Amino acid sequence: MRFPPIRSGRLIPLMALSLLALFAAGCQREPTPETATPTARPETAVSAEDRDEHSYAEPEKVVIDDLALDLALGFDSKTLAGTATYTLDWKDDGATQLVLDTRDLAIDRVEGQTDGGWQPLQYTLDAPDELLGSRLAIETPERNALVRVTYRTSPGASGLQWLEPSMTEGGELPFMFSQSQAIHARSWVPLQDTPSVRYTYSAKIASRPDVMVLMSADNDPAAERDGDYAFEMPQPIPSYLMAIAAGDLVFKPISGRAGVWAEPAMVDEAVEEFADTEEMIRTTEQLYGPYRWERYDLLILPPSFPFGGMENPRLSFITPTVIVGDKSLVSLIAHELAHSWSGNLVTNASWKDMWLNEGFTSYVENRIVEALYGKEVADMEFVIAREGLQKDLAETPSELQVLAVRPGDARDPDDTFGAVAYDKGAWFLQFLEERFGRETLDAFLRGYFDHFAFQSISTATFVEYAKAELLPKQPDAVTESELEAWLYEPGIPASAPQVLSPRLGLVDSARLAWLGSAQLPPQSMTAEWTTQEWIHFLEGMPETLTLEQMSQLDTAYSFSGTPNGELAMRWYPLAVRSGYAIAYEPMSAFLQRIGRRKLIMPVYEALAQSEQGLAFARRVFERARPGYHPITIASVQKTLDEAKPRPAPAVTPPPPEPEVEGGAGADGTSPQAPSAG
Ligand code: BES
Ligand code: ZN
């Protein structure tokens, strides 16, 4: 056994009791709960050493049970200002402080409710830690049931982006949105900013009357735009799922419980692209039990949104870069929807155990894709993810190649957004599926989501549960050392099931043939290719191609200027490495139009390899920066600051000056562009 003793031994008593009960019950399934919203708040199953190192909060002393926000949204000042009122559940009779996480917040006053009304409370706001922000310690000798903080955010809040009207589709109204995961909620609300604490919330938001405001709560599709908005979130959520957005947003339904919020010019396209959302919800319900969050809507953000998607409850935030016209990138929706079970219902207790959110979700995502679009498509996506994982592993230090990251190893959770938690995590579940059979694993997962619904758990708790509920189903299926290898060892265990994709195999043959003979695959073949096949075609290219080869590909397929970000993020780095100067102009436009980290970072990283490329990247970044989200700015800045470029080889022509946005090919209107279909 290599499980550290604490991981199996020191669960909080309630958890230990429920585990005992499980053993005593002879591993029977939990009954499916009838209610959508939990009535009693279950204890969080976290051992002392699994504590969240990314938060100053002390949830063993006191927890926030409910949060009431009353905020004014100021587009001109780029601030949110008002009050946060906490209903507290004091766990420790000796506790005299409420410790909250904040980052760049101006605290005006702190009050506690007493019999005599609201009374001021003493507090100290520590100097900021670069990663964690400022610890706010509020003196609460009376352990008030209600505490209220009056505060204001900073215009540079790391979890908010404020966009000028010119940066929106419509160009008339400003836009703002939050991105709280992993530890940015604290930059717009003082909170116990840890996924181990869950609370219900309500909010009153005052804004200019011509913008619509939405939150990760009970958005009303018929809400009037009047500048006065009220929200309720009756299901308890962790802080990283707090979300707000405001702009020229209109609603269009997909089904009775699902729909799209977007700028008017985008909404029809988005509804068409994401028309399968209701079927995805029904599929997941059949697999893993009821959808417990009532509505499921999608909010389409401007292209500066730093992620592909964010699973904010009831309202997933979605990048517009997956709207490519043929539904080929809708696995993103399957992914964010899947979080409604893995992540939002059963939550990682700290970011060390992020695989519990992202690995489970990537597995469920693939199951949804298989159910809706067939096994061939699901297998292509799995194989592509695995290829990405192999590349990622080559650059990941061994302590971050494990699923269950050890205390101290993941300093900045924004940096652990790598393939390990996602794709190694999903691969592990696929391994369990292979060994136990789909029926057994599905029943286990359904029981897992029910059992831990609205709780935050660690890997240790998962292991205990799997040992009680899954392993005994077929005692010879998986050994403990296999389980340990998956969770606690770097790299990919030898027991990993291999998936082959014949369709991607054909792409390999086509690429090889072209590399050998300069003979491009027949048009009748490539006409059938989807985004996944094009991704694979580019992904398998050698480090560099000759200028003739680049030009032949570009002439045939118009990769430069492609509107498909998944192709752009692979083509432009290849162009940079190959010294293919023609791509620089559309590449510069791409970097200025898109702020999604996953798509643009590979391009910046490729540029940062050479001195000339780095100089070009710096110039582009300077232009792009005002339109980037703070999270994207931080990532690009870090890559450029830490670059170790080598001098360019003499054959490489100097890159041209970056064009301002709107340069040729920026919108990828070329008729031959493989827009994936
Ligand atoms: N929850 C993540 C986004 C996230 C992770 C934000 C970590 C901050 C820190 C979201 O569900 C996600 O995984 N998005 C992916 C989607 C993809 C894997 C389908 C993305 O943004 O690319
Ligand atoms: Zn995710």
Side-chain angles (χ1 to χ4, degrees):
M1 279 276 292
R2 203 175 73 74
F3 299 146
I6 186 61
R7 290 180 183 272
S8 45
R10 277 184 245 160
L11 302 170
I12 62 166
L14 198 127
M15 190 54 218
L17 272 179
S18 69
L19 284 171
L20 268 180
L22 272 175
F23 282 111
C27 308
Q28 278 159 8
R29 279 263 316 279
E30 289 285 295
T32 305
E34 299 296 317
T35 50
T37 304
T39 41
R41 196 72 48 85
E43 295 292 328
T44 283
V46 184
S47 67
E49 284 179 33
D50 272 324
R51 82 165 286 281
D52 184 356
E53 58 199 87
H54 294 110
S55 168
Y56 289 114
E58 300 172 337
E60 65 288 355
K61 295 186 177 154
V62 56
V63 290
I64 297 173
D65 241 0
D66 181 73
L67 163 72
L69 291 174
D70 191 343
L71 297 174
L73 210 157
F75 278 104
D76 293 336
S77 58
K78 296 186 170 39
T79 58
L80 289 172
T83 58
T85 306
Y86 316 94
T87 305
L88 299 172
D89 178 6
W90 291 91
K91 304 278 180 197
D92 178 346
D93 290 346
T96 56
Q97 269 191 341
L98 166 66
V99 177
L100 299 178
D101 295 295
T102 75
R103 190 205 304 279
D104 294 335
L105 296 181
I107 307 293
D108 289 341
R109 69 180 168 276
V110 181
E111 297 152 296
Q113 201 181 47
T114 64
D115 293 343
W118 289 102
Q119 301 291 337
L121 295 175
Q122 300 294 317
Y123 64 90
T124 46
L125 185 64
D126 287 355
D129 173 89
E130 205 192 326
L131 183 64
L132 302 181
S134 295
R135 177 176 181 272
L136 173 64
I138 301 168
E139 301 304 325
T140 46
E142 295 181 40
R143 282 188 288 283
N144 314 64
L146 285 180
V147 166
R148 178 165 84 186
V149 176
T150 305
Y151 72 100
R152 162 184 314 274
T153 63
S154 118
S158 64
L160 301 176
Q161 189 179 11
W162 301 87
L163 289 91
E164 302 295 335
S166 63
M167 291 152 71
T168 67
E169 198 73 33
E172 303 271 304
L173 294 175
F175 202 107
M176 70 81 66
F177 63 88
S178 67
Q179 169 55 42
S180 297
Q181 195 183 3
I183 54 171
H184 300 287
R186 65 191 65 178
S187 76
W188 64 283
V189 190
L191 278 172
Q192 290 182 308
D193 194 9
T194 165
S196 65
V197 173
R198 313 175 76 91
Y199 53 86
T200 52
Y201 81 85
S202 59
K204 275 200 243 166
I205 309 288
S207 87
R208 49 187 272 180
D210 50 357
V211 307
M212 187 70 209
V213 179
L214 303 172
M215 291 192 80
S216 51
D218 62 340
N219 301 297
D220 175 4
E224 276 201 30
R225 234 187 251 204
D226 59 5
D228 186 11
Y229 303 96
F231 303 92
E232 287 284 339
M233 186 54 182
Q235 289 103 350
I237 59 161
S239 57
Y240 75 93
L241 296 176
M242 290 290 292
I244 185 167
D248 185 7
L249 292 166
V250 294
F251 177 82
K252 215 169 163 190
I254 292 173
S255 70
R257 61 174 163 177
V260 169
W261 287 94
E263 285 199 64
M266 290 287 292
V267 76
D268 288 326
E269 262 176 88
V271 166
E272 226 170 276
E273 195 87 19
F274 306 136
D276 298 338
T277 304
E278 175 60 36
E279 205 185 327
M280 289 183 176
I281 306 173
R282 268 192 252 123
T283 300
T284 324
E285 287 188 307
Q286 271 158 19
L287 287 170
Y288 306 119
Y291 178 77
R292 305 192 199 212
W293 306 87
E294 299 168 44
R295 291 201 58 83
Y296 181 68
D297 294 321
L298 306 171
L299 168 64
I300 314 304
L301 289 146
S304 67
F305 183 54
F307 294 102
M310 178 63 213
E311 64 271 27
N312 297 315
R314 298 182 183 218
L315 184 69
S316 286
F317 283 22
I318 302 295
T319 175
T321 61
V322 291
I323 303 175
V324 287
D326 66 353
K327 300 186 178 175
S328 63
L329 297 175
V330 298
S331 58
L332 176 88
I333 307 299
H335 181 98
E336 304 314 333
L337 170 69
H339 273 305
S340 306
W341 286 260
S342 42
N344 299 6
L345 202 56
V346 183
T347 308
N348 52 212
S350 83
W351 300 113
K352 299 188 287 285
D353 289 320
M354 189 164 135
W355 80 277
L356 290 172
N357 279 18
E358 298 300 346
F360 276 68
T361 295
S362 299
Y363 172 79
V364 174
E365 165 198 338
N366 201 253
R367 294 292 304 273
I368 300 171
V369 169
E370 181 183 324
L372 266 81
Y373 307 108
K375 189 152 167 51
E376 272 190 6
V377 177
D379 284 353
M380 281 200 290
E381 296 202 341
F382 241 133
V383 168
I384 289 168
R386 246 154 245 182
E387 285 168 356
L389 172 63
Q390 304 286 8
K391 284 193 180 163
D392 217 67
L393 282 175
E395 290 159 15
T396 304
S398 61
E399 70 276 13
L400 294 179
Q401 291 185 12
V402 297
L403 289 179
V405 175
R406 293 181 174 277
D409 284 348
R411 237 196 81 69
D412 185 347
D414 276 353
D415 289 345
T416 27
F417 183 72
V420 173
Y422 285 75
D423 304 318
K424 182 175 172 181
W427 207 345
F428 169 51
L429 287 166
Q430 207 190 40
F431 157 76
L432 294 178
E433 181 191 316
E434 189 190 62
R435 292 293 180 88
F436 289 97
R438 193 166 261 199
E439 210 179 313
T440 303
L441 186 72
D442 285 354
F444 167 74
L445 289 178
R446 190 180 171 131
Y448 166 82
F449 293 132
D450 283 344
H451 183 76
F452 294 112
F454 298 102
Q455 293 186 52
S456 305
I457 66 167
S458 67
T459 299
T461 305
F462 164 77
V463 169
E464 295 284 353
Y465 187 76
K467 283 185 174 174
E469 289 290 296
L470 181 64
L471 271 50
K473 296 275 186 258
Q474 284 173 47
D476 298 329
V478 171
T479 65
E480 286 206 353
S481 71
E482 283 174 323
L483 200 65
E484 286 166 28
W486 274 102
L487 297 171
Y488 304 113
E489 302 285 343
I492 301 303
S495 60
Q498 297 306 323
V499 171
L500 293 176
S501 161
R503 274 173 64 177
L504 295 185
L506 290 177
V507 175
D508 284 327
S509 312
R511 188 193 325 96
L512 268 174
W514 173 70
L515 285 167
S517 68
Q519 193 70 42
L520 287 167
Q523 217 267 332
S524 58
M525 181 186 200
T526 54
E528 301 296 313
W529 283 4
T530 63
T531 297
Q532 283 66 39
E533 278 131 334
W534 286 110
I535 287 175
H536 190 69
F537 184 65
L538 288 177
E539 196 67 59
M541 288 294 170
E543 252 316 88
T544 59
L545 294 176
T546 64
L547 292 180
E548 292 70 31
Q549 287 174 315
M550 289 299 289
S551 164
Q552 190 191 1
L553 288 181
D554 214 6
T555 307
Y557 306 128
S558 303
F559 285 124
S560 297
T562 172
N564 189 323
E566 292 285 339
L567 304 183
M569 69 173 276
R570 292 169 170 92
W571 174 251
Y572 293 131
L574 181 63
V576 170
R577 291 193 301 267
S578 305
Y580 179 62
I582 289 167
Y584 274 72
E585 202 176 291
M587 175 173 73
S588 156
F590 172 72
L591 294 175
Q592 289 175 71
R593 187 165 46 92
I594 309 289
R596 182 179 169 193
R597 259 187 357 170
K598 172 188 141 174
L599 301 184
I600 62 172
M601 289 314 294
V603 185
Y604 279 110
E605 281 156 12
L607 284 166
Q609 298 294 312
S610 77
E611 272 167 16
Q612 283 179 334
L614 183 60
F616 182 82
R618 290 212 167 101
R619 293 198 298 273
V620 176
F621 179 46
E622 208 177 291
R623 292 202 177 140
R625 189 185 170 118
Y628 283 170
H629 187 281
I631 293 176
T632 301
I633 293 178
S635 298
V636 177
Q637 190 75 63
K638 192 163 172 226
T639 295
L640 300 186
D641 288 351
E642 293 175 1
K644 292 194 187 68
R646 33 170 181 65
V651 289
T652 310
E657 274 297 302
E659 285 287 320
V660 281
E661 185 181 357
D667 57 359
T669 46
S670 161
Q672 294 134 317
S675 65

